[in-house]
Amino acid sequence: WTIDRPLIDAQFSFNPNRHEPGTKKVLGKKIKDNGEMEGRELLHMLASSQATAHFLSRKLAVRFVADDPPQALVDRMAKSYMSSGGDIAVVLKTLFRSPEFWSSTAYRAKVKTPLEFVVSAARAGNADILNMQPLANNLRQMGMPVYGAIPPTGWDWKSSPWVSTGALVDRMNFALNLAANRLPGITINWLPLPDLASSESHTAPTPESEETRLEPILIPGGATESTRTAALQQFEAQAAQNNVQGNSAIHPVVAAMHQNRPPNAAALEKQDQSLAGLLIGSPDFQRR
């Protein structure tokens, strides 16, 4: 089995002159001499084997449920695979209709890969992207370069290759840089819509109120109380540190609040950028 003219139209071709004649034995089964059809028989044997059913079912369960999915779920999916003749749609129906898929333990049990993290962050902020290179650079920094998977198995869907102290630092740095518009050619507007801003102009936004507004935008399922508290505490700590260093302009909303004066639009934007970056870098956002 080969490819004819791979650089032109790349058509499948069987070359009998390069084919080994005679009976073969694969995985304990004899395949009689039958030229091109031997390969088809081998592929059918592999595709219809119980081992393949379990292998593919487990892969899908790892992708959609948990890094260590329940064996009972994998077994039911494999049974669907065998009974349907390898119909993946039927296997997925078994998966998506299973109680394991909808269980509370499976909710946000999966950690986003770097690609999922970067893309979901840009989408959540409705980023205006004129230059994709910064995103590609950050993916490379996180260990998942675009089209860079060397092994034929592709990238790992489990969390262990992607979660470490250094990896989490890279993710937080990306989140803060993305939210603060520090990536060339990529901008995000975190301020509320003009009509919303005007209707609430009588109330000066606070870090708490802005976190409440940004949270459902970035984490539709809602953040945990620990994440919410940590984001606000980190924001206040950064603001206090900047004030001590005489650089309160980085977080002017807090400075304005202390002086009992309304913050301006630029100050609000800085506040929202900081809060959005902290939420994107939080554990809640990094789970899917």
Side-chain angles (χ1 to χ4, degrees):
W1 289 32
T2 184
I3 299 175
D4 186 34
R5 301 188 300 178
L7 299 180
I8 302 177
D9 52 1
Q11 296 296 314
F12 168 81
S13 174
F14 174 73
N15 187 344
N17 295 325
R18 300 179 64 183
H19 179 70
E20 178 70 21
T23 300
K24 287 84 176 174
K25 190 174 183 180
V26 181
L27 299 177
K29 181 180 179 180
K30 288 185 178 180
I31 297 180
K32 296 181 179 180
D33 187 3
N34 197 18
E36 177 185 334
M37 298 307 295
E38 294 175 25
R40 296 183 181 274
E41 183 179 350
L42 173 61
L43 290 176
H44 177 74
M45 181 183 74
L46 294 174
S48 59
S49 73
Q50 191 70 240
T52 299
H54 275 87
F55 178 81
L56 294 179
S57 295
R58 182 171 180 81
K59 283 282 188 180
L60 291 170
V62 167
R63 176 67 177 86
F64 290 105
V65 178
D67 287 0
D68 187 17
Q71 187 60 44
L73 171 62
V74 176
D75 290 342
R76 293 200 307 275
M77 293 170 63
K79 184 177 180 180
S80 295
Y81 180 97
M82 297 298 294
S83 63
S84 65
D87 191 332
I88 297 299
V90 174
V91 178
L92 289 174
K93 284 181 181 179
T94 301
L95 169 65
F96 296 142
R97 293 173 179 175
S98 70
E100 292 90 345
F101 178 79
W102 295 100
S103 70
S104 58
T105 56
Y107 181 65
R108 288 182 176 173
K110 295 288 296 181
V111 175
K112 295 176 182 177
T113 65
L115 179 62
E116 291 171 328
F117 174 67
V118 168
V119 172
S120 63
R123 284 178 172 174
N126 194 26
D128 183 10
I129 303 175
L130 300 178
N131 180 16
M132 295 291 294
Q133 195 58 48
L135 301 183
N137 292 342
N138 276 274
L139 281 173
R140 187 182 304 108
Q141 178 68 27
M142 296 178 195
M144 197 176 189
V146 179
Y147 301 118
I150 297 176
T153 51
W155 299 114
D156 201 320
W157 286 343
K158 295 184 178 181
S159 61
S160 52
W162 311 116
V163 177
S164 66
T165 302
L168 294 177
V169 170
D170 289 336
R171 290 190 180 210
M172 179 57 79
N173 288 336
F174 166 77
L176 295 173
N177 289 332
L178 174 72
N181 293 329
R182 289 195 289 263
L183 300 180
I186 303 176
T187 55
I188 299 179
N189 179 23
W190 297 108
L191 292 176
L193 296 175
D195 57 339
L196 180 62
S198 61
S199 64
E200 297 181 349
S201 58
H202 60 282
T203 304
T206 65
E208 290 77 11
S209 66
E210 286 302 275
E211 190 282 333
T212 300
R213 181 179 67 83
L214 291 170
E215 184 180 311
I217 297 174
L218 297 173
I219 309 175
T224 60
E225 186 61 35
S226 59
T227 290
R228 190 176 301 115
T229 301
L232 290 170
Q233 287 179 346
Q234 183 63 27
F235 174 83
E236 293 287 354
Q238 291 177 357
Q241 181 180 5
N242 290 326
N243 285 333
V244 169
Q245 295 174 351
N247 191 21
S248 63
I250 296 180
H251 287 300
V253 169
V254 175
M257 290 171 58
H258 291 166
Q259 299 172 22
N260 294 321
R261 60 182 178 81
N264 56 35
L268 288 176
E269 186 175 24
K270 289 289 185 183
Q271 171 184 259
D272 288 351
Q273 288 174 350
S274 296
L275 290 170
L278 292 169
L279 288 174
I280 292 174
S282 71
D284 291 347
F285 185 87
Q286 296 187 44
R287 293 185 176 274
R288 63 167 178 81

